[in-house]
Amino acid sequence: MTATAETTGQSSPEQLRTAMVEALRSIGAVRTDRVAAALLAVPRHVFAPEVPAAEAYEPERALVTKRNEHGLAVSSVSAARIQAQMLEQADVRPGMRALEIGSGGYNAALLAELVGSEGEVVTVDIDPFVTERAEKYLGEAGYERVRVVLADGSGPVEGGPFDRIVVTAGAWDLPPAWTDALTEGGTITVPLRMHGLTRSITFRREGGRLVSVSAEVCGFVKMQGADAHDEFLVLPRGTKEIGLRFDELERPDTSRLGGVLETPRAEWWTRVTVGNQEPFDSLYLWLASSLPGFGLMSVDSELDTKTVAPANRMACPVIVEGGSLAYLALRKISDGPAVFEFGAHGFGPEGGPLAALINTEVRKWDREHRAGGGPTFTAQPAGTPNDQLPDGLVIDKTHVRLTISWP
């Protein structure tokens, strides 16, 4: 007798896909029947043969397909939750022409399901390992109609203009080729980094500018090629224990931070609280768009001397001015259920005032933006005069002037 999923007690790929889609619906990542149908149709496990099928269908699991010499992921099949979320944002319809920047195969197959037989899908990647792999597995899964292109995705791609562009690599900038490739009213959905914080933003083209229609928290491996961008890293103690990362062209002077963490620590608290499982992602973005000298602090758990106690040891808001710094902090104020209070710690001669400044902005976020829908993002070409920009924080990238406007 031939062994089957039923006789071995293992779930079949079809059963695994159904369970994945049900899980994604339950958390709100899948909201429409057409995205659900695409996820049910495409065999995700075919694009990740290195792992067992059951792992390929775990909703939160990203499947790394290539690492660099340092062991860092440079290509992956993104977590199904993120892919579903971005496809819902992109609102891809039958008959559309879609471009995917950053290939892998699986997401391109999902796009092919969404555009249908009358639509077109082009997927492009700079790495021949990725494009060869994508072409191979797209063929095995029955999606030969997807055109796979080996090229730097930040440049022009033949086949446009496109109704939808979906970028599946973390971008720091918005190259003009992307805007030029869009139809008027077309959209691009892109994981965009701003001060080190990544949001999956869907922008609609309005003439020469892009205006956001939605934004979601996400994370992606960084883009390679001409528009790759690395953060500026500062080690105030000279070791990897504590790092300060600054991600924009304009950054604070950090030359006077030597010894700052050996000074007494100032602590200020806000009376603004948060529950144990309550998200507060908009707070980080608010602080990034309202505080000068903004960056992110990280702490190496193996080297940690407990000198600092940031709210998040992987990426915590920090501000720098001269020889002083301050960062966002949390302290537990009650158990059952756990409740935490926001505050700030400061170091250096101006550490106390900097901590107080963070707390002022935390309170403003709590009053005015905590329950809101978040900001609008507008991208206009570099060189656009200030009087033609909307109100808000302006971040100057290489190709665009990005404005973050809070209601």
Side-chain angles (χ1 to χ4, degrees):
M1 183 177 73
T2 302
T4 65
E6 184 176 352
T7 60
T8 59
Q10 297 177 343
S11 297
S12 67
E14 292 77 14
Q15 290 170 322
L16 292 168
R17 284 200 290 281
T18 298
M20 179 185 75
V21 171
E22 289 175 352
L24 293 171
R25 278 192 182 277
S26 70
I27 61 175
V30 170
R31 301 188 297 274
T32 61
D33 289 342
R34 61 180 181 274
V35 170
L39 290 164
L40 287 170
V42 179
R44 181 176 168 89
H45 65 286
V46 169
F47 298 89
E50 300 88 350
V51 303
E55 293 184 17
Y57 289 102
E58 292 177 11
E60 298 285 353
R61 190 181 186 92
L63 309 170
V64 177
T65 56
K66 184 178 181 181
R67 297 183 184 274
N68 64 14
E69 66 274 17
H70 305 295
L72 299 176
V74 294
S75 181
S76 66
V77 179
S78 300
R81 178 184 64 80
I82 296 294
Q83 290 174 311
Q85 172 185 297
M86 291 185 71
L87 291 174
E88 292 286 8
Q89 286 183 273
D91 189 26
V92 182
R93 301 300 180 105
M96 283 185 168
R97 183 179 288 117
L99 170 65
E100 179 192 41
I101 297 171
S103 195
Y106 175 65
N107 200 65
L110 293 172
L111 287 169
E113 285 289 335
L114 290 167
V115 302
S117 59
E118 299 302 313
E120 298 177 28
V121 175
V122 178
T123 181
V124 58
D125 201 281
I126 195 173
D127 189 337
F129 169 86
V130 174
T131 54
E132 290 171 11
R133 178 188 175 98
E135 198 157 29
K136 177 177 187 287
Y137 294 135
L138 281 164
E140 290 183 9
Y143 295 93
E144 297 90 347
R145 66 184 184 276
V146 173
R147 184 161 67 92
V148 181
V149 177
L150 174 63
D152 187 340
S154 62
V157 177
E158 292 184 2
F162 297 96
D163 304 292
R164 297 290 185 266
I165 299 176
V166 178
V167 183
T168 59
W172 177 81
D173 204 350
L174 298 169
W178 293 356
T179 303
D180 294 343
L182 275 176
T183 59
E184 179 66 21
T187 67
I188 177 170
T189 302
V190 53
L192 185 64
R193 269 185 10 247
M194 302 153 287
H195 284 295
L197 305 172
T198 302
R199 297 292 184 271
S200 173
I201 304 175
T202 293
F203 291 97
R204 177 178 290 116
R205 180 176 181 177
E206 297 180 358
R209 68 175 190 168
L210 300 171
V211 181
S212 68
V213 294
S214 70
E216 303 280 355
V217 177
C218 71
F220 273 85
V221 295
K222 293 180 180 179
M223 179 168 287
Q224 304 177 59
D227 279 282
H229 178 84
D230 291 324
E231 297 168 310
F232 180 72
L233 176 65
V234 177
L235 304 175
R237 301 189 109 175
T239 72
K240 294 182 179 180
E241 177 198 356
I242 300 166
L244 310 180
R245 309 195 311 273
F246 302 93
D247 201 26
E248 301 304 332
L249 299 176
E250 184 178 346
R251 58 177 184 260
D253 178 8
T254 57
S255 62
R256 295 162 54 192
L257 290 181
V260 66
L261 296 176
E262 276 58 62
T263 64
R265 185 171 83 185
E267 296 190 14
W268 292 71
W269 300 96
T270 62
R271 297 186 179 179
V272 176
T273 61
V274 63
N276 192 34
Q277 299 297 322
E278 183 182 352
F280 52 90
D281 307 295
S282 64
L283 173 59
Y284 282 23
L285 196 56
W286 169 253
L287 295 179
S289 57
S290 63
L291 292 171
F294 182 92
L296 295 173
M297 171 185 283
S298 59
V299 180
D300 188 317
S301 59
E302 295 183 359
L303 302 176
D304 189 9
T305 60
K306 310 300 182 184
T307 301
V308 295
N312 182 327
R313 292 179 175 272
M314 296 291 290
C316 179
V318 63
I319 55 174
V320 171
E321 182 179 307
S324 303
L325 63 80
Y327 58 82
L328 185 70
L330 275 176
R331 65 177 178 183
K332 183 183 283 189
I333 58 174
S334 69
D335 291 300
V339 176
F340 299 84
E341 180 183 10
F342 289 112
H345 296 167
F347 290 86
E350 298 300 318
L354 289 179
L357 178 58
I358 290 176
N359 284 359
T360 296
E361 295 304 326
V362 170
R363 294 188 189 101
K364 187 171 183 179
W365 165 80
D366 183 55
R367 291 192 310 269
E368 301 178 12
H369 303 295
R370 185 170 188 164
T376 297
F377 305 89
T378 306
Q380 295 172 255
T384 301
N386 288 337
D387 61 4
Q388 295 180 24
L389 301 176
D391 292 337
L393 170 75
V394 178
I395 302 176
D396 284 306
K397 307 280 189 178
T398 301
H399 300 301
V400 299
R401 307 194 75 187
L402 183 74
T403 307
I404 306 176
S405 306
W406 291 81

